Amino acid sequence: MDKAHASDQHDRHQHHLSRRGFFKAAATATVATAAGGALAACSPTAPAADGNASDKAKAAFEAAAAPIEPVEAPASWDVEADVIVVGSGGGGMTGSVRLADAGMSVIMLEKNEKTGGTTSYGGMFVNLGGHRMANEVEWAYPTYPYDPNAVVTYINDLQQMTVDPELLYAMAVEGPQCIDWMADAMDVPWAPSSKGPSGMKSLYWDGQITAKNSIEINHYPFEIMTETAKAHGVDIRTNTEALALVMDGGTVVGIKAKTPDGEKFFHGKKAVLLTAGGFEMNRAMLAKYTPTCLRGIVNVATPPYNDGACIRMGLGAGADLSGYDSVACFDGSVEWEPYDEFATAMNAHVNKDGNQAVRQPWLLINRTGQRVPFLSTAGSSYPFLNTDPNTLVTALTDQGAVEMSQPGGRTYVCFDSKFEQLVGDNFFKQSVCRVGKVIPDDDPLIDRVPEWQRDWRNAFQIMVDAGAVKECDTIEELEQELGLREGVLVKAVEDWNKACEAGEDSVPTYKYDPEWLIPIGDPPYYGAKIGGNLFATKCGLRINPQMQVIDVEGAVIEGLYAGWHTAGGSNGENNIAGKPFNGLFGDVGLSFVGGYMAAGAIIDAQA
């Protein structure tokens, strides 16, 4: 499609906006529903009316990040098992099943009504090879045959040597084993994400959901995994919230939990495994342990999970932390709510597909008017872009870091009414989760996808109606709506259009491909403040290669194990968005591997 064709799409855009009645009716219900009914609880606290109220807000903020002290063992236990597992996401599932298969009694606690947690929102098991499927096609990265030492060197070099090399080596060895074990023990039908040997770098559950939808993509697999866990003998207790560790002397021996029948004490005779995620939803913890990252985070994509409670329990038991100032963020998240200093919970909206409209090579600037680079997922004629099909797609997290590190932690995106056709046709040839998805009516799995999620334009219109994306008749008006200084956006658009007319980008570095130079001139105009789309925190309890939690003096806290993302350090220190691609196994894969490794260590300790 040439530029002239692109500029003729205004009529189609107007037709799209004529459907606004449907979008407005859906906006309140769908966004709240997608967030698991948690948005009311996640809304920022009201500004303090006086000094006393401000003091109370500050105290509540500090309390939300405070350690949770352990409690003493009761005279008698309400429930007993060999191992108590807290959290039913990826790590909870693999850990519980592996332990049960080793002959141990296992109780898995989940505070929500359904299993899966944050892992249900992810879809890909990112890896560097070493498993059977990769070996069959002779693929591994950075070298084949698969070499854990090469993996450690590659990953730790990217993360400035801040990862514990022995822990990273254990991950590199056991990660591929986890993939094969899940296929064998849990009947997981792994499939490559794309054709060719390098497609092995991202595995997904074959038939998990329509390929056109990427919201809560693992919900269906978790329904199956839950039944698998039960069949293997795991006792799953939903609506059961862990409140505190139970300690006897210096050893963790159980969990105090809130159940539908009141508070109960669960005895873990051999171990307690914490694998309930990180602290994405806990703004107070983000401010305390990942302050640089928080500055650029604008949205959490996986509510209502991960409030950091298990990490706070570990801190109460004397645990150390690792992975300070490290998170996993994608690019192009729009700012839904204004900043509130003492809001204890993060803003959270599951509206991922709507973000595709802003995650394209439009005009991107910071608040000074300086152009911001755009890193492609599909490659370009320019050498700075990732064009090697064998490597991981790092542009998503790298772009997240670019947008998060701008002045004020925000990047400003601007485009015009041609966006619908350009995104719909994937004119910019983006890949992975930057493609506008429309699920065809004849898709055999369409019933698994709520109606509003079947077309990326629906979710985009929700953002417009909510004011997260600004829609204006003039650039001057858009500039004001975005809160930019007078003349900043006007000048940026003028310079952009001159470059488009010349057919050559005018910035000295990170130049756009000439075909990306689409002039901005067809109203209405659209803009948004964008930044990091937080998927996972990488700061958590310090562990050793046996997944045992370590205290501040470097000693093991007996009886206590942690899986990622309750454990920290997988991405090293000061990793603002999660390079490479959120770490060695992404986020979903990392959860699975953490539970698998912890279970293996518990089994070995009993041998």
Side-chain angles (χ1 to χ4, degrees):
M1 186 177 84
D2 57 25
K3 296 178 187 178
H5 184 193
S7 66
D8 289 337
Q9 305 307 318
H10 187 61
D11 289 343
R12 184 168 181 241
H13 169 77
Q14 291 299 323
H15 171 69
H16 162 53
L17 294 186
S18 71
R19 298 175 290 168
R20 182 169 298 179
F22 165 76
F23 301 134
K24 283 187 174 180
T28 301
T30 54
V31 176
T33 300
L39 290 187
C42 299
S43 299
T45 55
D50 52 50
N52 186 49
S54 179
D55 290 342
K56 290 181 178 179
K58 184 177 180 180
F61 188 80
E62 293 174 350
I68 297 174
E69 298 298 324
V71 298
E72 295 182 357
S76 63
W77 295 92
D78 297 299
V79 189
E80 292 188 290
D82 290 327
V83 183
I84 307 299
V85 177
V86 181
S88 69
M93 286 295 172
T94 55
S96 295
V97 172
R98 192 178 186 193
L99 288 165
D101 285 355
M104 296 188 188
S105 56
V106 182
I107 297 175
M108 182 163 58
L109 309 182
E110 171 55 57
K111 70 177 181 179
N112 295 289
E113 294 182 2
K114 65 178 182 178
T115 60
T118 298
T119 318
S120 66
Y121 288 99
M124 298 296 182
F125 197 140
V126 178
N127 69 97
L128 299 181
H131 51 90
R132 288 195 301 261
M133 292 176 61
N135 290 337
E136 288 172 0
V137 296
E138 299 185 345
W139 180 84
Y141 196 85
T143 61
Y144 182 83
Y146 182 78
D147 180 359
N149 281 303
V151 170
V152 171
T153 301
Y154 168 65
I155 295 292
N156 227 347
D157 180 61
L158 290 174
Q159 300 182 7
Q160 297 182 295
M161 302 300 295
T162 59
V163 186
D164 175 353
E166 294 185 12
L167 177 59
L168 190 54
Y169 183 84
M171 295 167 62
V173 169
E174 296 195 53
Q177 296 174 2
C178 176
I179 293 172
D180 291 338
W181 175 85
M182 290 180 71
D184 295 337
M186 300 185 72
D187 297 319
V188 175
W190 294 124
S193 62
S194 59
K195 295 180 180 179
S198 64
M200 296 299 171
K201 64 190 175 187
S202 296
L203 302 179
Y204 73 99
W205 182 298
D206 192 17
Q208 61 188 5
I209 202 166
T210 171
K212 296 292 185 180
N213 183 63
S214 60
I215 298 177
E216 214 167 4
I217 195 169
N218 252 337
H219 175 64
Y220 172 69
F222 265 97
E223 290 182 338
I224 298 176
M225 281 190 283
T226 298
E227 295 307 312
T228 299
K230 291 178 180 178
H232 284 244
V234 178
D235 182 355
I236 301 176
R237 307 285 183 99
T238 56
N239 294 306
T240 302
E241 179 181 4
L243 299 176
L245 294 174
V246 181
M247 296 190 74
D248 185 359
T251 300
V252 174
V253 294
I255 291 288
K256 178 184 178 182
K258 178 182 178 182
T259 79
D261 299 321
E263 292 185 355
K264 293 184 181 297
F265 285 84
F266 290 79
H267 186 197
K269 293 182 288 185
K270 297 179 179 178
V272 169
L273 170 55
L274 303 179
T275 178
F279 51 89
E280 292 88 340
M281 288 301 301
N282 189 323
R283 190 179 179 282
M285 292 184 72
L286 287 167
K288 188 172 184 178
Y289 301 119
T290 61
T292 304
C293 302
L294 176 60
R295 179 173 173 268
I297 294 169
V298 297
N299 186 52
V300 178
T302 56
Y305 313 105
N306 297 0
D307 61 5
C310 278
I311 295 174
R312 295 170 61 201
M313 292 177 202
L315 291 172
D320 196 7
L321 292 180
S322 61
Y324 286 94
D325 236 2
S326 292
V327 299
C329 285
F330 288 160
D331 60 290
S333 185
V334 299
E335 183 180 83
W336 287 81
E337 303 287 347
Y339 173 80
D340 185 339
E341 183 180 6
F342 293 129
T344 56
M346 289 295 288
N347 297 313
H349 295 260
V350 183
N351 197 359
K352 192 161 50 177
D353 281 344
N355 283 63
Q356 313 315 9
V358 304
R359 301 174 71 191
Q360 307 297 326
W362 310 121
L363 172 61
L364 298 172
I365 63 172
N366 62 29
R367 67 186 183 190
T368 73
Q370 181 184 16
R371 276 275 301 281
V372 173
F374 177 84
L375 306 180
S376 176
T377 59
S380 166
S381 59
Y382 288 92
F384 72 89
L385 296 175
N386 176 18
T387 57
D388 182 352
N390 291 311
T391 65
L392 300 179
V393 177
T394 61
L396 303 178
T397 50
D398 285 355
Q399 186 66 27
V402 167
E403 294 170 2
M404 294 166 67
S405 60
Q406 298 304 312
R410 296 291 183 271
T411 293
Y412 300 81
V413 59
C414 176
F415 50 95
D416 67 13
S417 61
K418 297 186 289 295
F419 81 93
E420 184 175 343
Q421 182 65 33
L422 293 169
V423 176
D425 289 347
N426 196 15
F427 175 77
F428 299 110
K429 300 180 176 64
Q430 296 304 291
S431 61
V432 194
C433 55
R434 283 189 186 158
V435 181
K437 301 175 180 69
V438 178
I439 303 174
D441 292 338
D442 60 354
D443 189 301
L445 303 178
I446 195 170
D447 289 341
R448 296 182 188 167
V449 186
E451 184 178 355
W452 74 279
Q453 293 177 8
R454 298 174 188 177
D455 189 326
W456 67 271
R457 295 168 296 183
N458 297 351
F460 176 76
Q461 190 61 51
I462 288 172
M463 292 193 293
V464 172
D465 292 337
V469 172
K470 310 299 183 183
E471 177 187 3
C472 300
D473 294 327
T474 68
I475 295 298
E476 289 81 2
E477 181 185 357
L478 182 60
E479 179 180 81
Q480 184 176 14
E481 286 292 312
L482 292 175
L484 290 166
R485 290 180 296 109
E486 184 176 355
V488 168
L489 183 59
V490 171
K491 178 65 164 56
V493 171
E494 289 176 355
D495 291 344
W496 169 264
N497 284 342
K498 288 177 181 178
C500 294
E501 183 178 357
E504 182 178 356
D505 204 348
S506 58
V507 294
T509 61
Y510 296 104
K511 293 177 178 288
Y512 273 20
D513 190 304
E515 92 172 342
W516 294 355
L517 299 176
I518 306 296
I520 298 173
D522 295 338
Y525 302 104
Y526 296 88
K529 296 179 184 180
I530 59 175
N533 193 14
L534 178 60
F535 277 83
T537 50
K538 300 295 184 173
C539 177
L541 304 177
R542 186 178 296 276
I543 56 171
N544 63 18
Q546 289 73 47
M547 311 299 284
Q548 294 171 293
V549 178
I550 305 300
D551 70 16
V552 293
E553 295 181 351
V556 168
I557 299 176
E558 296 295 337
L560 185 61
Y561 296 76
W564 289 288
H565 298 77
T566 301
S570 64
N571 270 43
E573 311 292 318
N574 304 302
N575 196 331
I576 191 171
K579 185 181 181 74
F581 203 75
N582 301 350
L584 181 51
F585 298 112
D587 289 317
V588 176
L590 190 64
S591 296
F592 287 133
V593 172
Y596 174 86
M597 292 176 65
I602 294 169
I603 293 167
D604 290 344
Q606 305 304 315

